[in-house]
Amino acid sequence: KNAIEFHYKYGEDIIETYNSFYQVLKQKKYNFNLFKYTDELHNIFLSCLTPKLKELGVSAIKSENNKLYDGKERFNILRENTYFYDLLKVYYGAVQIVVGALMARRQSELASLKVGECIDENTSSLIFKQSKSTKGIFGTKNTLYLPIDQLGIDMIKNLEKLHINRSGEPLFAIPQIKNIFIFNTSVANSTYAQNLDFF
C-alpha cells in the first residue's frame, strides 16, 4: 500500500526531475563521463526540482561524503528526504516491492527484466527469464510471458523513462552514486536488497 501510494505521489516527479536535469546538462554539452558535483551543478539541479520534491525536503543531489549512514543517523537523514539519490533508491525499492508482490517471482527473475523489452502491451504481460529452468545444450533459460496488473506496467514504464535511450539495460540497475548518469551494468543482489531497505 505504501509503495503504491509513494508511486502515485512522487514517482512522476522523481523521473521528471532526473530527466530535466539530464536535458539541461545535455543542452550545455556537458561531458557526462566527467561528472563532478560543483556549485554550478548543484544550482542547476535545484532549478530542475519539481515543486512537490522541494516541498518534500529535497535540497541536494546526494550526500557529499558518499557514505552509507550508520544506525539512527541513517534513518533520520533518509526521513528528512534531503538527498535526491536516496529518494531515487526509495522509488526503485517501491517498484521492486509492487512488481515482486504482483508477480510472486524470484529476485533473480525480476533482476532479469530489461528496459524496453520486459512488457508486452498487447497481452499486458511481463517478460522475464525463468530461474532454475534451462533448456538445450547451453542451458539457456526459458523466457516467460505472464499477465501483470496495469499498475505494475505503469510503474515499470515510469522507471524505464530514467534509462534514456538505453534499451536492453537491466531495469533495476540503478545509477551510480558517484555519477547519477552512469548506470550499473547489472543488478547486484546487495543493491537490490538495499533499495528495499531504503524503502
Side-chain angles (χ1 to χ4, degrees):
K1 178 177 175 287
N2 289 340
I4 292 167
E5 285 177 357
F6 187 85
H7 164 70
Y8 281 129
K9 204 163 184 184
Y10 301 113
E12 286 186 5
D13 286 80
I14 290 169
I15 306 302
E16 183 185 328
T17 294
Y18 180 93
N19 285 340
S20 295
F21 189 34
Y22 173 83
Q23 291 300 338
V24 170
L25 293 181
K26 188 180 177 186
Q27 285 170 6
K28 291 178 178 290
K29 297 187 167 32
Y30 192 84
N31 187 339
F32 291 102
N33 293 322
L34 301 175
F35 191 75
K36 220 174 171 175
Y37 292 95
T38 61
D39 287 342
E40 183 192 4
L41 214 64
H42 173 71
N43 291 330
I44 292 170
F45 171 74
L46 291 181
S47 72
C48 296
L49 274 173
T50 64
K52 202 180 277 188
L53 292 192
K54 281 181 186 171
E55 190 183 325
L56 187 63
V58 179
S59 60
I61 302 166
K62 67 179 187 73
S63 167
E64 288 179 18
N65 53 19
N66 281 344
K67 73 181 179 76
L68 280 175
Y69 324 114
D70 297 320
K72 188 180 176 184
E73 180 202 6
R74 172 191 181 199
F75 296 106
N76 288 338
I77 290 171
L78 280 173
R79 289 184 179 120
E80 285 167 4
N81 304 310
T82 305
Y83 301 118
F84 179 78
Y85 187 81
D86 291 349
L87 207 61
L88 190 61
K89 286 181 73 64
V90 170
Y91 186 56
Y92 268 87
V95 178
Q96 287 170 197
I97 283 172
V98 174
V99 174
L102 287 173
M103 301 306 295
R105 304 310 302 189
R106 290 185 177 90
Q107 179 178 316
S108 59
E109 292 172 334
L110 296 179
S112 77
L113 297 177
K114 302 287 185 194
V115 173
E117 301 172 8
C118 60
I119 298 290
D120 181 345
E121 294 203 58
N122 293 325
T123 59
S124 297
S125 296
L126 189 69
I127 307 165
F128 60 92
K129 298 289 184 189
Q130 186 180 13
S131 291
K132 297 196 175 180
S133 71
T134 57
K135 60 183 178 183
I137 192 166
F138 298 110
T140 313
K141 289 186 176 178
N142 295 327
T143 299
L144 289 187
Y145 287 67
L146 290 180
I148 181 171
D149 187 86
Q150 187 60 44
L151 169 65
I153 293 174
D154 292 345
M155 292 179 91
I156 288 170
K157 287 176 81 69
N158 197 42
L159 205 55
E160 283 182 330
K161 291 175 190 171
L162 273 183
H163 299 257
I164 304 161
N165 303 323
R166 297 186 183 101
S167 189
E169 280 188 345
L171 178 70
F172 292 122
I174 69 168
Q176 297 175 7
I177 190 165
K178 289 182 179 176
N179 184 341
I180 65 167
F181 296 112
I182 293 180
F183 284 74
N184 293 319
T185 54
S186 60
V187 184
N189 288 339
S190 57
T191 306
Y192 193 95
Q194 195 182 82
N195 294 341
L196 297 175
D197 188 36
F198 268 53
F199 178 76

